[in-house]
Each structure stands twice: as C-alpha cells, then as structure tokens.
Amino acid sequence: MKRALTNLFLTIAIAAFITSCASENKSGRTDTFTSGSIQFAADASFSPIIEEIRELFEFKYPQAKLTPIYTNESEAIDLLMKDSLWLVITTRDYKANELEYLKAQKQFPLSIRMAYDGLAFVQNSQNTDSCISVKDIRRILKGEVKRWDEIYPGSKLGEISIVFDNKKSSTVHYVEDSILGGKPITAPGAFAVDSTSEVVDYVEKHKEAIGLIGSNWLNDRRDTTNLTFRRGIRPMAVSSVDVANNKNSYKPYQYYFYNGSYPFTRTLYILLNDTNAHGLPTGFKNFIISQNEGQMVVLKAGLLPAYGNITFRSVHINKE
C-alpha cells in the first residue's frame, strides 16, 4: 500500500512537471535572470550609456541576449503598453491612466530610478555668450526672443536657431512639460532633426544655434574626470536668477545635479511590466541599478547614479 501511494505521488509529480514545462514552452518564456533573449526599448538620446551597460551585461552573462530598440520616448512606452516588450528606459514615470490600465489587465508595472541627467543647452564653441537664465530660455522657446542681440547687446550672431533630436523625444516632452508649463514650443527658429548626433553636428557648424541634448552626450570619453566636453560644442551655464552671470550660473555637471544648482535635472527611469519576476528583464534591471556594475557605468558616463556612494572631491554623497 505504501509503495502504491508512493508511485501515485510520483506519477502526479511527473504529470505536474510536464504540464508546467508545456505551459512554459507555450508562453515562450524560458529566460532567467542571466540567460535567454529579450527585446527592450529606450529613448535613443540615451543610447551611448545604455549600450555600455548592455555590452557589459552580455559580456558577464554570455547566455543572455539583449536586443535594444532605440526610438523616441512615446513609441518606447507605447510598446510597453501594448505588451510588445517588458522593459523600457525613459525620462518619465508611468502616468496615472497607464498604471490603471496595466493593473486592470492584471499586470504588475514597476518604475525604478536609474540615474539623473541634465538637459543641456549646447552652443558652438566660438560663441562667447556662455551664460543664460531660465527666464531667457523660456522667452526663446516661446518665440518672444528671436535674435542673440536681444539677450546679449552687441552680439553679431543674428537669429537664434533651436535644434532638437526628435519631435517625440524625451527632450521635447521635458521642455514642453517642465519648462513651458505644458505648452508647445512656438519659437520660429526651432526644428527637429532625427538624432542627437545630428544636433551636435548642426551646432558644431552653426554659430547661431542652440542644441538641446541629454548631458550624457557631452562627456569626452578620454576624460576620466567628466569635467570636459566634446570639442566643437560646449554647454551653456544656466541660472535660475533672471540676470545670468558667471557666479550664479551652472553647467550640467554631476555635482550640480545632486545639489540642485542646475535647474534642468531629469530622472531616468526603468519601467518594468513583467509578470515573471525571475526573468531576464528583471535580471537586467537589477544589473543596471547594482552599485558596482551598472551604476558605475552611469557615473563614468557623466550622469548621477541613483544608488551608491559617490565622492565629489571633498564632498561625499551616500545615495540610497
């Protein structure tokens, strides 16, 4: 009798295991924290730093394959909402209606802080007018100011042109939501290209231009201190005071993100929506926020890590 019961339990266990495997194969999920193959999406303006982290992850875990989709912020989040993928990296959190929708679908959306960066206003390196106020930036974006000499008397640069990376990018969303109070950009000299690299190229060739890019694109990889910027362009120092000068204006350095001196600091988020808490999306998320791995890449790329212990010369910062 005892042997019969043992055989019965063994049969039930085997059947349950087979059913479980069949279910797993049917869903197509065979990935783990460190193996398998997935796609994820990210705003293209952050591709340099994300590529570094992805390559490091795949080098450490050769059985994992991460295929990035670098697109604009709107399309990245749209893919997540449509359940086309499980992870996106962007500069905004879920909206209330997005959370409600996903939870109604019995999903488990999570948002995790990854880093902090600055929206940089870059100019041609030959432009000597390097300080600007938040007030004047708003005036330019609204079209209230169209020429350089309206801000800097005596300037011979002529009309101001504003160039963005993409009409649907996180840069445009940040400008409209956080700088213009929910209103669109109406500057007559504003236009979008197709990528951040094109913004940089345009500013390098046009003295009258201002380019809007994420601060991660400014870092000169030859400089381990992250205190120099790409040749041909330089970031403007921005002041919260109406009249900007060298003493009250700050450039998009990591320390000024931390202490709040730089007025245009953004949070970079990992948006996760995966019912499998032990899959590759979660494994990659854990790697990104790990203090000795992903967050070190964030630090070296010129952004401010969301987690870890950071020292800026004599200033020590203990992040969560």
Side-chain angles (χ1 to χ4, degrees):
M1 182 66 178
K2 183 176 180 181
R3 178 176 294 180
L5 287 174
T6 301
N7 291 338
L8 176 61
F9 291 145
L10 181 61
T11 301
I12 293 173
I14 293 173
F17 176 77
I18 294 173
T19 301
S20 174
C21 291
S23 175
E24 180 182 45
N25 291 334
K26 184 178 180 180
S27 68
R29 297 299 299 273
T30 59
D31 55 297
T32 69
F33 279 160
T34 59
S35 68
S37 178
I38 63 164
Q39 287 185 321
F40 70 95
D43 189 297
S45 60
F46 295 99
S47 60
I49 183 174
I50 295 170
E51 275 298 289
E52 287 189 50
I53 296 174
R54 181 192 65 80
E55 290 174 2
L56 183 60
F57 183 86
E58 290 185 345
F59 177 80
K60 185 173 183 179
Y61 304 110
Q63 293 184 336
K65 175 63 177 176
L66 303 169
T67 303
I69 300 173
Y70 293 121
T71 181
N72 60 66
E73 182 175 77
S74 297
E75 292 180 1
I77 294 177
D78 188 53
L79 288 170
L80 186 73
M81 298 300 295
K82 290 180 178 178
D83 202 26
S84 299
L85 41 74
W86 299 291
L87 185 148
V88 302
I89 299 173
T90 183
T91 60
R92 75 164 176 84
D93 202 343
Y94 288 106
K95 295 180 179 178
N97 64 316
E98 293 168 344
L99 284 174
E100 291 176 4
Y101 172 80
L102 292 174
K103 290 177 181 179
Q105 302 298 314
K106 301 188 183 303
Q107 302 295 312
F108 299 95
L110 296 173
S111 66
I112 303 95
R113 288 174 295 127
M114 170 183 168
Y116 304 95
D117 91 317
L119 179 63
F121 291 77
V122 297
Q123 61 183 175
N124 187 283
S125 58
Q126 297 181 45
N127 188 340
T128 58
D129 300 314
S130 58
C131 295
I132 192 168
S133 69
V134 172
K135 178 181 178 180
D136 283 336
I137 286 174
R138 288 197 181 100
R139 293 170 65 205
I140 292 171
L141 295 169
K142 291 179 179 179
E144 297 173 356
V145 169
K146 302 179 179 64
R147 297 178 55 84
W148 282 97
D149 57 11
E150 295 179 68
I151 300 177
Y152 309 102
S155 175
K156 301 184 184 302
L157 290 179
E159 294 186 358
I160 302 171
S161 58
I162 308 291
V163 57
F164 300 88
D165 53 350
N166 187 290
K167 292 180 180 179
K168 296 182 179 180
S169 71
S170 59
T171 298
V172 173
H173 290 163
Y174 181 86
V175 168
E176 293 180 342
D177 294 343
S178 300
I179 300 179
L180 297 179
K183 297 180 180 179
I185 301 164
T186 53
F191 65 96
V193 287
D194 291 325
S195 66
T196 301
S197 60
E198 289 186 38
V199 174
V200 173
D201 291 342
Y202 187 89
V203 175
E204 284 181 326
K205 297 174 183 177
H206 296 83
K207 295 180 183 179
E208 80 287 352
I210 297 177
L212 273 64
I213 64 176
S215 63
N216 72 103
W217 282 84
L218 295 171
N219 180 37
D220 187 335
R221 295 173 188 273
R222 296 165 297 180
D223 174 31
T224 57
T225 67
N226 291 338
L227 295 178
T228 62
F229 299 94
R230 295 174 59 114
R231 292 179 295 179
I233 66 168
R234 63 178 178 182
M236 303 186 78
V238 183
S239 175
S240 298
V241 180
D242 288 350
V243 180
N245 57 49
N246 291 328
K247 294 182 179 180
N248 62 26
S249 303
Y250 301 89
K251 291 188 177 183
Y253 294 136
Q254 291 162 315
Y255 180 60
Y256 296 140
F257 300 159
Y258 170 76
N259 70 10
S261 296
Y262 191 72
F264 301 126
T265 301
R266 307 180 295 180
T267 303
L268 201 57
Y269 292 95
I270 304 168
L271 301 185
L272 191 66
N273 184 40
D274 189 6
T275 55
N276 179 9
H278 302 285
L280 188 54
T282 299
F284 186 44
K285 178 266 294 181
N286 292 342
F287 185 83
I288 293 173
I289 64 174
S290 61
Q291 295 183 22
N292 296 322
E293 295 172 313
Q295 294 290 284
M296 290 300 296
V297 177
V298 168
L299 180 65
K300 292 178 180 179
L303 276 65
L304 180 67
Y307 307 93
N309 297 320
I310 310 163
T311 299
F312 291 103
R313 296 177 182 175
S314 61
V315 181
H316 182 75
I317 301 170
N318 184 16
K319 300 294 288 180
E320 293 181 6

